[in-house]
């Protein structure tokens, strides 16, 4: 039986109401309140669903029923680890624009890159980053370059790194890259010759983060030296799933607030670990600022600006931390996919060996300038970046009310290109799922190359693109020149075994190393 609720002022209110209206109130009980609440919630949901389907400003765009009417479709599929493929199927079914959730549109055409991410002429409304980026900058009171959503401030922040990421700046930093990569190459010769090989993905993460640790914090993470990962990296790679979860939860503010209240042990201690990681970043940034003799690296200019009082220490720490994440995770993922693609395709591997082993007589000759001039090596990298986009999930933006590839998108809608689709669409590529570096070299090739944009385009495109190419070129050239490599699991499928949660959760890439046959 329902227990009656006792509220002191209720009887008097009831009496007055009955007297005025002549209506007899039912006995108020917990059960009745619950039933009323559930009924209201149901009515509210049905009304919301009908609004989303028929009255919402995006109502005319096609998509699966659950995607057009609710957040359920995006929630379910984005947590499955293959959202890029689900979106790709949806684009093949519904066309170039798909409604992914009531207020969210995915574009699958190459033309949409320029409209969403490209430079806008003065006076035209700017397309800004969406709320997802606030999470990226969490932990610091001042946004870093990647998480800054205000286009004007982002432009100023990019200016801090203009020299560091220029061709001249890169040359000044080559020594750090070379030193770490040589250490990586030599370590693999010692640890990777066992029949079971090594998990190369782990080593690629370690070398990428050691390099960036030096460049951004002025101090390596010493992963290669210790032959093991570092707490700082583990927090990132151990919790990529959480990024996708939080991106969904931010759309349900009440649920997000509830999750934040959960005890730490239920959320795997994430917030505690994140806080420790942020603290460590701040400490490293402070140590870097205190060094009198600075090496030339990413942060040299910003360091000076902090000393001149133009940039706060908090902002400096936020930049250092985000450069390591933005550059380390992506480069390690791209390198993992690249080595996999090369080893999986014997004829590509043979051509690469031929190019590298005829060009270089010893390891020391291999440098950034010469590798940038090796056509097949460069084509192998471009093709791998097309085949396995490191940013396979769309980079979310807010529409200011603009035309995207011929479709008007009202203000406030969340929009992005799902890059996997244009990079693998049959209308742009011949045999899109074949790893074929020659398509980038053949002057008669009809493929539409602008459909692959691994570094994005426009004012927020990757600032580290040249640095990433330099690092990948050096690493691949040195690996292929130095060793004969083989995949331990020849039947492995990198993409199928990987999980995409905005960042990729990469599978084990077991590679066995043999002495070079030269
Ligand atoms: C293969 C390697 C890489 C790939 C595929 C890649 C890709 C991208 C993409 C697609 C964006 C646009 C993100 C967005 O709009 O949200 C981006 C932004 C960015 N990348 Fe990279 N990246 C790579 C390496 C690097 C490296 C090595 C660094 C620096 C060390 C770096 C630093 C950044 C920064 C700071 C941004 C934010 C720029 C801004 O918002 O203005 N990236 N990257």
């Amino acid at each position: 039986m329902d227990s009656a609720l006792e509220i002191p002022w209720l009887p008097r209110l009831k009496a007055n109401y009955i007297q005025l209206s002549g209506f007899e109130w039912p006995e108020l009980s917990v059960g009745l309140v619950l039933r009323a609440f559930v009924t209201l919630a149901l009515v509210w949901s049905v009304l919301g669903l009908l609004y989303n389907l028929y009255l919402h400003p995006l109502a005319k765009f096609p998509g699966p029923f659950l995607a057009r009417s609710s957040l359920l479709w995006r929630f379910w599929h984005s947590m499955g680890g293959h959202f890029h493929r689900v979106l790709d199927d949806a684009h093949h079914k519904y066309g170039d624009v798909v409604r992914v959730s009531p207020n969210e549109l995915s574009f699958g055409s190459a033309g949409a890159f320029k409209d969403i991410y490209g430079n806008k002429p003065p006076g035209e409304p700017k397309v800004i980053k969406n709320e997802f980026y606030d999470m990226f900058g969490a932990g610091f009171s001042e946004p870093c370059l990647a998480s800054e959503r205000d286009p004007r401030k982002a432009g100023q922040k990019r200016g801090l790194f203009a020299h560091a990421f220029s061709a001249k700046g890169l040359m000044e930093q080559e020594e750090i890259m070379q030193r770490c990569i040589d250490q990586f190459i030599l370590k693999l010769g010692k640890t990777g010759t066992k029949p079971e090989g090594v998990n190369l993905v782990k080593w690629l993460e370690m070398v990428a983060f050691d390099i960036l640790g030096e460049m951004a914090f002025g101090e390596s993470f010493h992963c290669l030296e210790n032959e093991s990962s570092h707490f700082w990296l583990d927090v990132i790679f151990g919790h990529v799933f959480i990024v996708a979860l939080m991106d969904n939860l931010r759309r349900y503010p009440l649920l997000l607030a509830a999750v934040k209240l959960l005890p730490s042990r239920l959320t795997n201690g994430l917030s505690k670990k994140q806080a420790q990681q942020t603290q460590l970043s701040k400490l490293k940034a402070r140590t870097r600022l205190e060094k009198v003799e600075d090496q030339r690296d990413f942060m040299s200019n910003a360091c000076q600006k902090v000393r001149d009082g133009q940039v706060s220490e908090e902002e400096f720490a936020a930049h250092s931390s985000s450069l390591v994440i933005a550059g380390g995770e992506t480069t390690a993922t791209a390198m993992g996919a690249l080595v996999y693609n090369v080893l999986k395709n014997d004829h590509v591997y043979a051509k690469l060996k031929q190019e590298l082993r005829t060009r270089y007589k010893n390891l020391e000759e291999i440098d950034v300038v010469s590798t940038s001039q090796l056509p097949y090596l460069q084509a192998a990298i471009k093709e791998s970046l097309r085949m396995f986009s490191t940013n396979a999930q769309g980079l979310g933006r807010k529409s200011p009310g603009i035309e995207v590839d011929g479709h008007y998108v009202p203000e406030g809608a969340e929009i992005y290109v799902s890059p996997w689709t244009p990079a693998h669409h049959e209308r742009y590529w011949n045999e899109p799922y074949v790893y074929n570096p020659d398509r980038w070299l053949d002057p008669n090739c009809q493929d539409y190359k602008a459909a692959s944009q691994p570094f994005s385009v426009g004012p927020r495109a990757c600032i580290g693109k040249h640095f990433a190419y330099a690092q990948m070129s050096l690493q691949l050239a040195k690996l292929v020149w130095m060793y004969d490599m083989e995949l331990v699991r020849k039947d492995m499928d990198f993409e199928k075994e990987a999980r995409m949660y905005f960042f990729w959760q990469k599978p084990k890439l077991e590679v066995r190393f043999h002495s070079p046959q030269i």
Side-chain angles (χ1 to χ4, degrees):
M1 210 168 108
D2 293 341
S3 56
L5 278 182
E6 285 190 21
I7 304 171
W9 43 263
L10 200 62
R12 194 176 167 75
L13 181 72
K14 271 169 74 177
N16 288 344
Y17 185 77
I18 292 166
Q19 202 179 12
L20 286 171
S21 67
F23 177 77
E24 187 67 41
W25 269 25
E27 193 61 34
L28 198 60
S29 65
V30 173
L32 185 68
V33 171
L34 272 180
R35 279 198 294 277
F37 181 77
V38 171
T39 312
L40 267 178
L42 273 175
V43 170
W44 181 256
S45 305
V46 171
L47 285 178
L49 189 138
L50 290 173
Y51 170 80
N52 289 335
L53 285 174
Y54 302 109
L55 298 172
H56 192 284
L58 301 188
K60 67 173 182 181
F61 291 101
F65 173 79
L66 279 179
R68 286 182 290 123
S69 55
S70 71
L71 286 163
L72 290 178
W73 191 84
R74 75 122 35 236
F75 203 130
W76 179 254
H77 289 294
S78 60
M79 299 314 298
H82 290 107
F83 201 24
H84 58 298
R85 287 295 196 140
V86 175
L87 289 171
D88 191 42
D89 289 346
H91 278 298
H92 278 84
K93 184 167 176 192
Y94 297 102
D96 285 343
V97 200
V98 172
R99 202 169 165 207
V100 175
S101 72
N103 196 38
E104 177 183 0
L105 295 177
S106 164
F107 287 81
S109 58
F113 276 119
K114 199 166 137 277
D115 292 335
I116 297 179
Y117 305 104
N119 286 299
K120 297 275 174 272
E124 263 193 32
K126 303 271 182 286
V127 186
I128 63 164
K129 290 187 170 185
N130 68 359
E131 289 84 359
F132 170 80
Y133 291 86
D134 294 335
M135 289 191 325
F136 192 75
F140 296 93
S141 56
E142 180 65 29
C144 62
L145 168 57
S147 66
E148 178 59 73
R149 294 172 59 206
D150 178 326
R152 191 184 54 80
K153 290 187 188 164
Q156 285 168 355
K157 288 179 179 174
R158 272 181 94 97
L160 285 175
F161 304 101
H163 175 75
F165 288 100
S166 67
K168 186 163 175 282
L170 261 183
M171 301 301 291
E172 288 169 3
Q173 300 159 40
E174 181 169 350
E175 188 274 325
I176 302 177
M177 241 192 295
Q178 288 276 17
R179 187 162 28 83
C180 292
I181 294 174
D182 285 350
Q183 194 182 9
F184 160 78
I185 295 287
L186 296 179
K187 286 271 179 179
L188 287 175
K190 290 194 186 119
T191 56
T193 51
K194 306 165 285 201
E196 69 274 22
V198 287
N199 177 10
L200 191 61
V201 154
K202 271 277 148 244
W203 282 87
L204 290 166
E205 287 170 0
M206 295 197 293
V207 64
F209 278 80
D210 269 4
I211 295 175
L212 285 163
E214 280 212 41
M215 301 275 219
F217 292 122
E219 188 199 344
S220 166
F221 286 105
H222 303 292
C223 299
L224 293 170
E225 194 184 316
N226 300 330
E227 299 187 8
S228 75
S229 190
H230 185 281
F231 160 78
W232 209 94
L233 285 67
D234 296 340
V235 174
I236 296 162
F237 290 113
H239 296 93
V240 286
F241 180 78
I242 302 284
V243 177
L245 182 65
M246 295 309 251
D247 187 30
N248 279 307
L249 289 179
R250 76 177 164 87
R251 298 156 203 268
Y252 301 91
L254 280 179
L255 209 53
L256 180 61
V259 169
K260 283 185 177 164
L261 289 178
L262 286 177
S264 174
R265 67 195 147 80
L266 293 181
T267 52
N268 201 13
L270 176 67
S271 45
K272 209 165 145 200
K273 285 186 197 157
Q274 256 179 346
Q276 283 170 350
Q277 193 205 34
T278 308
Q279 266 322 104
L280 187 60
S281 304
K282 290 183 185 178
L283 198 72
K284 278 176 171 284
R286 164 130 287 273
T287 315
R288 167 68 210 273
L289 282 167
E290 279 165 0
K291 277 189 191 163
V292 182
E293 275 302 307
D294 259 338
Q295 61 183 18
R296 292 295 302 168
D297 59 31
F298 289 161
M299 302 305 290
S300 306
N301 187 34
C303 246
Q304 196 48 49
K305 298 266 186 234
V306 178
R307 289 180 187 131
D308 296 347
Q310 294 174 44
V311 168
S312 69
E313 197 175 315
E314 180 80 0
E315 182 182 331
F316 179 85
H319 289 314
S320 312
S321 167
S322 101
L323 280 177
V324 177
I325 300 173
E329 192 281 332
T330 43
T331 312
T333 300
M335 271 307 297
L338 175 60
V339 173
Y340 165 81
N341 279 321
V342 168
L343 298 189
K344 198 74 181 174
N345 293 276
D346 292 344
H347 64 290
V348 174
Y349 188 24
K351 268 176 132 172
L352 259 184
K353 273 190 204 168
Q354 163 78 11
E355 183 175 67
L356 288 157
R357 293 182 183 180
T358 49
R359 171 66 182 78
Y360 299 109
K361 300 274 171 304
N362 53 54
L363 201 66
E364 293 72 45
E365 276 182 25
I366 303 177
D367 63 11
V368 171
V369 172
S370 61
T371 49
S372 72
Q373 290 159 357
L374 294 177
Y376 201 71
L377 178 84
Q378 294 304 315
I381 296 175
K382 279 189 198 145
E383 177 68 345
S384 186
L385 286 169
R386 177 192 73 79
M387 285 282 283
F388 194 84
S389 331
T390 55
N391 292 85
Q393 187 171 327
L395 307 163
R397 300 292 190 262
K398 283 278 193 202
S399 169
I402 49 159
E403 188 104 346
V404 179
D405 210 16
H407 305 268
Y408 179 76
V409 182
E411 186 179 351
E414 193 167 316
I415 47 174
Y416 49 81
V417 178
S418 290
W420 190 271
T421 297
H424 295 83
H425 205 291
E426 312 75 36
R427 80 179 123 158
Y428 301 128
W429 309 93
N430 180 33
E431 298 188 306
Y433 283 92
V434 172
Y435 178 65
N436 175 18
D438 283 309
R439 69 171 90 236
W440 297 89
L441 299 171
D442 176 3
N444 299 318
C445 172
Q446 299 291 308
D447 293 339
Y448 183 61
K449 309 286 173 17
S452 171
Q453 295 293 354
F455 296 94
S456 193
V457 296
R460 306 306 297 271
C462 180
I463 196 171
K465 177 177 173 177
H466 299 300
F467 177 77
Y469 261 109
Q471 191 182 327
M472 291 175 76
S473 304
L474 277 182
Q475 277 183 19
L476 185 65
K478 291 194 174 193
L479 277 173
V480 173
W481 187 87
M482 186 77 171
Y483 301 111
D484 281 342
M485 298 176 277
E486 61 170 325
L487 282 178
V488 173
R489 285 186 298 132
K490 302 210 169 24
D491 59 347
M492 90 166 285
D493 185 326
F494 195 82
E495 187 224 332
K496 261 205 187 120
E497 293 177 31
R499 295 283 176 275
M500 201 274 292
Y501 301 115
F502 189 83
F503 294 120
W504 284 98
Q505 202 168 64
K506 300 177 279 295
K508 272 191 178 169
L509 178 65
E510 288 134 334
V511 176
R512 188 173 176 199
F513 291 80
H514 303 275
S515 302
Q517 308 291 303
I518 52 171

